Amino acid sequence: MAASVVVESGEDVFRKMFKFYKRRDPPPDLRDVTDFSSGVKKNCSKVMLLTAVSDEEAACVGLQPIRDWRAFGLQGYPGFIFISNPFLRGSQAFWVRQCLKTYPQKPNVCNLDMHMSPSDTQEIWARSAQALRWEKRQPKTLLERLRWVTLGYHYNWDTKTYSANSYTPFPADLHMLSVRITVACGFPGFNSEAAILNYYRSDSSLGIHVDESELDHSRPLLSLSFGQSSIFLLGGPHRQDPPTAMFMHSGDVMLMSGQSRLLYHAVPRILPALPQHAALLEELSCASALQTGSVLEPVSQEDWDVCSRYIQSSRVNVTVRQVLGPGQSFPEEPINTWSQRNVWL
Ligand code: OGA
Ligand code: MN
């Protein structure tokens, strides 16, 4: 833990650490933040992944051959796997384009739908693309006002639940990517049923929480990060447990499974990407470099100009979730019928 964080017993250590890394003035000391992009660190071990995914299958979703992945485990966090940017050169751009142009489109749901009509949120990309080219923009474009998008079973932020009657088809390309990663990590049969995309500006953060709304916690939670870097805090099963701080750079993938599936975590800070991470993000694959059968499509220079401008000050994180176990279904709705309530009273 950073020397300057003084924690007395009984205090919420996680909250202290969150505030420490979120602080702007003076900026926090980042020496205790684990950086997996620079090799094996203390308390980390290299993880050997399964080669059940062929090089072709990996390349079809923009991933390097599994044997080349730099995957790490963290002491004290069984089931947590950190894969330091396993994407092929030139392929991150496709996933960024999907997150900015494709996934915010209807029928998917986004924060702008909460106070705007569907006709106004129909064309987030088209209505932002032109204006994003201008240096000084007022008012902000829809893309800049985007905070979250939900896919598949749409997460209800008020009730913190998913439900059978709020579902739209999950994007096939993102499912394919999720399957390839989870298979390589030893979880065959993963069903991508829901995803939450978070869009972070340079001053955004994500509070301390556990992802427990999914009905089956035996399935892993998959996280993909693109754009600017961030600090991720991974705590324990209790708020009092001190968290471990790590950097998440563009292309990094994380898997929370087993005993690490239900741990407290948070993103206190977004940091500018270092040149070596930004350079990989900025590369574009040309059509001829794509594997036959690839789900990737070349990203046009015109689209990339817009993505690049946006992502230079933003971070996008995608968490893919399996909500239901095999054969499981949502409880009958509504669950709080009077007869049930009377039993409890
Ligand atoms: C989440 C989450 C982490 C991130 O959406 O539940 O924890 O890196 N995201 O944005
Ligand atoms: Mn989470």
Side-chain angles (χ1 to χ4, degrees):
M1 189 187 302
S4 46
V5 184
V6 180
V7 180
E8 284 153 27
S9 62
E11 273 189 297
D12 183 337
V13 188
F14 203 134
R15 193 161 150 268
K16 281 241 154 195
M17 291 283 270
F18 185 90
K19 282 163 76 176
F20 174 80
Y21 285 114
K22 191 177 158 82
R23 194 183 64 194
R24 303 248 140 219
D25 194 20
D29 180 346
L30 302 181
R31 272 178 301 183
D32 286 340
V33 183
T34 298
D35 192 350
F36 291 102
S37 70
S38 55
V40 184
K41 296 279 163 261
K42 86 172 179 320
N43 304 334
C44 302
S45 54
K46 207 134 191 230
V47 176
M48 290 312 290
L49 296 178
L50 301 178
T51 42
V53 178
S54 71
D55 293 0
E56 289 71 29
E57 287 170 325
C60 280
V61 292
L63 294 169
Q64 296 172 21
I66 314 295
R67 63 181 169 281
D68 295 337
W69 291 11
R70 289 165 300 141
F72 303 93
L74 201 54
Q75 204 177 35
Y77 299 89
F80 175 77
I81 303 176
F82 191 105
I83 311 164
S84 184
N85 183 17
F87 288 92
L88 287 164
R89 297 184 78 121
S91 70
Q92 279 191 61
F94 169 77
W95 293 109
V96 170
R97 204 268 316 259
Q98 295 303 78
C99 292
L100 301 185
K101 183 176 182 179
T102 311
Y103 301 149
Q105 284 175 23
K106 299 283 158 289
N108 303 330
V109 179
C110 71
N111 64 301
L112 301 171
D113 295 319
M114 302 296 117
H115 53 267
M116 289 170 76
S117 68
S119 61
D120 286 335
T121 57
Q122 199 64 262
E123 304 270 338
I124 295 174
W125 176 265
R127 290 173 54 180
S128 307
Q130 274 295 326
L132 265 172
R133 291 181 222 280
W134 302 329
E135 223 35 76
K136 290 210 165 28
R137 312 177 275 279
Q138 262 322 328
K140 279 192 161 40
T141 60
L142 292 181
L143 201 51
E144 290 167 299
R145 289 164 54 199
L146 197 59
R147 288 292 168 269
W148 54 261
V149 166
T150 53
L151 312 175
Y153 288 116
H154 299 285
Y155 187 64
N156 182 322
W157 301 88
D158 295 327
T159 60
K160 296 186 166 45
T161 58
Y162 301 96
S163 74
N165 53 26
S166 179
Y167 179 82
T168 55
F170 194 92
D173 52 6
L174 185 58
H175 172 58
M176 182 93 91
L177 174 67
S178 306
V179 165
R180 299 278 147 91
I181 297 172
T182 47
V183 164
C185 292
F187 293 93
F190 181 78
N191 227 345
S192 321
E193 291 172 326
I196 299 177
L197 282 76
N198 287 311
Y199 299 79
Y200 297 83
R201 312 295 294 171
S202 51
D203 58 352
S204 311
S205 57
L206 178 69
I208 308 165
H209 69 280
V210 175
D211 292 284
E212 56 190 354
S213 301
E214 297 72 27
L215 300 185
D216 182 354
H217 299 142
S218 70
R219 306 276 79 204
L221 192 129
L222 177 67
S223 150
L224 314 163
S225 294
F226 300 106
Q228 299 307 298
S229 296
S230 66
I231 295 176
F232 184 75
L233 294 178
L234 181 63
H238 308 288
R239 274 285 289 247
Q240 288 74 19
D241 301 325
T244 298
M246 61 194 88
F247 289 109
M248 293 180 85
H249 302 298
S250 195
D252 286 350
V253 172
M254 249 173 40
L255 206 93
M256 291 170 77
S257 71
Q259 288 181 43
S260 291
R261 173 65 181 78
L262 293 172
L263 300 183
Y264 277 96
H265 56 279
V267 180
R269 196 186 191 93
I270 304 301
L271 296 162
L274 296 172
Q276 62 267 36
H277 302 298
L280 290 172
L281 172 65
E282 287 291 335
E283 286 180 24
L284 295 186
S285 287
C286 55
S288 60
L290 298 178
Q291 178 85 25
T292 1
S294 180
V295 305
L296 273 60
E297 299 152 6
V299 176
S300 71
Q301 192 60 52
E302 194 186 353
D303 278 359
W304 187 248
D305 286 346
V306 178
C307 292
S308 172
R309 189 161 283 259
Y310 174 88
I311 212 76
Q312 267 163 31
S313 56
S314 311
R315 167 180 186 257
V316 181
N317 176 265
V318 185
T319 44
V320 185
R321 300 132 191 270
Q322 177 162 341
V323 177
L324 303 165
Q328 195 175 18
S329 50
F330 287 101
E332 293 279 320
E333 288 183 69
I335 47 169
N336 282 349
T337 59
W338 272 108
S339 58
Q340 275 176 316
R341 268 218 200 134
N342 287 340
V343 175
W344 298 333
L345 287 175

